[in-house]
Amino acid sequence: MKIAWEATGGTNTGRRRQNNEDSLLVDAEHGFFVVADGMGGHAGGEIASALAVQTAGEILARGGDAKAALREAVTRANAAIFDFAARNPRMRGMGTTLTACVLDPSGVMNLGHIGDSRAYRFRNGVLEQLTVDHTWVQREVDAGRISAQAARTHALSHVITQALGVDENDTPDILEDTALPGDLLLLCSDGLTGMVDDTQIAELLAVEAPLPELANTLIRTANVNGGVDNITVVLVRVLSGSS
Ligand code: CA
């Protein structure tokens, strides 16, 4: 089935942080979307996420095989961050998550993912998390040692086990799925998901409203619920394409 799409994105510093270390890219023309959540002091986080998004954008804009492009985007972004940190010793320890979605008019969706930003699909009123967090608590949940609910409020909930700039050999999860007309795709940083649980995200996405309004509502709700971290949201609505 042929698909088309519309997309929007927004980011907000939140209510506690002084700077915004998240970066995003919405390229509706080429059909790719990226969210990155940086970490590291001395502006390292801001630079890491910006480098990752910029590098990924350059690779993904070339088109070609989406999975190969996503792998290359992660490899190149990782190298760019290591290179920058090597030349700027104060920036050592800088890193970033990266979650990227590539849509094809044929209806194939590919995701590349590393870290604890997330991709969700909202279909027929049901919200499904497509990515798995690369976090210590997710490992514990997978091993059955703690519950998903306990993981949300766990003291170590922010400890990431994989990120760009941390391990030169880290490889992303690559996931392929089908996008159907009517789907809403959400890419977001943990500044959203730490403040707004899946039930509330689903309620907010169920509202009939233009995409930018939905994105604003998600960000506003994260701030109402505390806004302790930077909040980034990319929303993609899948439409019927001309056959
Ligand atoms: Ca964050």
Side-chain angles (χ1 to χ4, degrees), residues 128-149:
E128 186 184 354
Q129 185 180 333
L130 302 176
T131 51
V132 176
D133 295 348
H134 296 137
T135 55
W136 181 83
V137 289
Q138 182 63 46
R139 281 189 188 173
E140 295 298 293
V141 171
D142 292 344
R145 286 190 285 266
I146 61 174
S147 70
Q149 191 55 38

Side-chain angles (χ1 to χ4, degrees), residues 17 21-22 36-39 97 116-117 158 160 189-192 228-231:
R17 300 282 179 93
E21 299 185 324
D22 289 357
D37 176 353
M39 65 206 80
T97 72
D116 70 345
S117 301
H158 294 289
I160 298 177
S189 64
D190 69 337
L192 177 74
V228 301
D229 197 0
N230 309 141
I231 307 144

